[in-house]
Amino acid sequence: DTGARTVLFDPNAALRARVHPRVERLSWLLADGREAAAMLLLPPERGPGRLPLFVSYYRCEGYLRGGEGDEWPFAPLVEAGFAVACINTVRGDDGFDASTHYRIALAAIRGLVDRLDRRGLIDRGRVGMGGFSFGSEVTMWVAMNSDLLGAASIASTQIEPGYYWYNAVAGRDHPDLLRKVWGLGPPDETPEAWRDISPALNVDRIGTPLLMQLPEQEAGLVTELHARLRRSDTPAELYAFPEEAHIKVQPRHKLAAYRRNLDWFRFWLQGHVSKDEGRADQYRRWKRLRERWKAGSSAGH
């Protein structure tokens, strides 16, 4: 009769009371004239000093909750004092050549870091990156071919020799796809092409702490990468999520991935250790990994 409204239940009151990121649309030109674009999320109030930066590269569509694949909690990262940049894939030429796209991606990411550094916004010594699917391949390419990253996280398998043979059973079309897109034939026939792309074959060039949170069906395909990293000084952990396909969908798995990613980047880029006793073992492991990593760096490994 009166048109008055009464709220019976407000499930998002606590969420609205939390930090709301400031959002900027950015665009910049690469050296070859291509245009890159990103969404930048910043804390609502700028404090003293520069911010650590988290980068996601792939697609930035709709509500920017956790990047493509929804693995990295953007808003909680901002709440923890990070700048977060979601970069849309920069278009290449007609067709798709994987290594060319990786190089374009690295140029775009380097351009963004330079731009934000010049603005005095970010600390280029504290840059992290996370990637899903194609974004995970770009993340590993950046880790292998630059010194930009202080921490990284991936949510998908990589293009490795083991991946080739896993998918090369007679009658499958995957080998043809790998040759067409990645320029990869059987590993014994195209060893140089594999050396260029495979993270497992380039562990000596990866010095970035790496967290791998993969669906069960893909975790077995990074066995070589995981084993080689664990035999090096580079910090690495691998988690497999049961009964998950390419994109994780189970709510408890999404929450676990969110929490561990947030902890991982805060630990390596902010030195943060949670007081939650339930995660004490996690931080004990990571501290041991950090000590070994620093000792190896000091020794010149």
Side-chain angles (χ1 to χ4, degrees):
D1 292 342
T2 65
R5 296 185 179 188
T6 301
V7 176
L8 301 180
F9 175 56
D10 182 1
N12 292 319
L15 181 62
R16 280 199 304 277
R18 297 179 68 170
V19 167
H20 289 256
R22 289 188 292 119
V23 181
E24 292 185 24
R25 295 178 182 270
L26 302 177
S27 64
W28 62 101
L29 293 179
L30 308 188
D32 62 4
R34 300 177 199 269
E35 184 178 13
M39 301 294 288
L40 178 66
L41 283 64
L42 296 167
E45 296 182 4
R46 173 98 182 271
R50 294 171 175 249
L51 306 174
L53 172 68
F54 175 81
V55 176
S56 171
Y57 185 96
Y58 197 175
R59 286 191 289 254
C60 309
E61 301 171 336
Y63 182 71
L64 300 180
R65 184 171 61 184
E68 187 74 10
D70 191 21
E71 293 272 339
W72 298 273
F74 286 180
L77 280 165
V78 172
E79 194 173 37
F82 280 72
V84 173
C86 185
I87 307 176
N88 281 297
T89 300
V90 180
R91 292 181 61 85
D93 300 320
D94 292 339
F96 184 88
D97 173 71
S99 61
T100 298
H101 276 70
Y102 300 156
R103 290 181 174 88
I104 293 172
L106 175 54
I109 294 162
R110 192 186 301 278
L112 177 69
V113 171
D114 289 344
R115 179 188 178 104
L116 298 180
D117 181 31
R118 287 194 298 268
R119 286 176 56 183
L121 270 178
I122 61 108
D123 178 353
R124 65 180 307 128
R126 294 189 294 155
V127 176
M129 184 173 180
F132 163 80
S133 199
F134 171 68
S136 77
E137 297 167 38
V138 171
T139 299
M140 294 310 301
W141 182 270
V142 174
M144 291 189 301
N145 292 283
S146 79
D147 59 357
L148 287 174
L149 303 183
S153 163
I154 59 174
S156 302
T157 192
Q158 300 301 294
I159 306 300
E160 306 282 11
Y163 177 87
Y164 180 92
W165 292 117
Y166 182 86
N167 290 287
V169 176
R172 297 201 65 184
D173 61 358
H174 221 70
D176 294 336
L177 179 66
L178 287 171
R179 188 180 293 276
K180 178 181 178 181
V181 176
W182 284 270
L184 299 169
D188 52 342
E189 291 183 15
T190 56
E192 291 307 314
W194 281 99
R195 171 65 66 178
D196 185 46
I197 286 178
S198 162
L201 299 180
N202 287 282
V203 164
D204 59 327
R205 294 163 55 199
I206 301 173
T208 304
L210 178 64
L211 174 64
M212 295 173 277
Q213 300 196 95
L214 274 59
E216 183 179 41
Q217 71 172 21
E218 297 183 17
L221 301 178
V222 295
T223 301
E224 183 179 2
L225 172 60
H226 179 238
R228 287 179 180 268
L229 283 171
R230 291 304 297 263
R231 292 174 66 88
S232 75
D233 295 325
T234 301
E237 284 200 340
L238 170 63
Y239 294 84
F241 290 76
E243 299 180 4
E244 292 283 18
H246 193 44
I247 299 179
K248 303 182 189 75
V249 296
Q250 297 182 50
R252 62 177 177 171
H253 289 170
K254 304 295 279 190
L255 179 60
Y258 261 15
R259 283 179 171 166
R260 194 174 289 117
N261 272 319
L262 182 62
D263 288 350
W264 182 259
F265 287 102
R266 294 203 70 190
F267 178 80
W268 292 105
L269 302 181
Q270 292 180 313
H272 175 80
V273 175
S274 172
K275 296 179 180 179
D276 181 359
E277 287 297 322
R279 300 186 339 246
D281 286 344
Q282 164 183 282
Y283 288 105
R284 277 192 286 269
R285 289 196 314 275
W286 293 356
K287 287 177 180 178
R288 288 195 297 269
L289 290 174
R290 184 172 60 189
E291 290 169 2
R292 179 180 175 185
W293 182 49
K294 288 185 175 180
S297 299
S298 299
H301 294 173

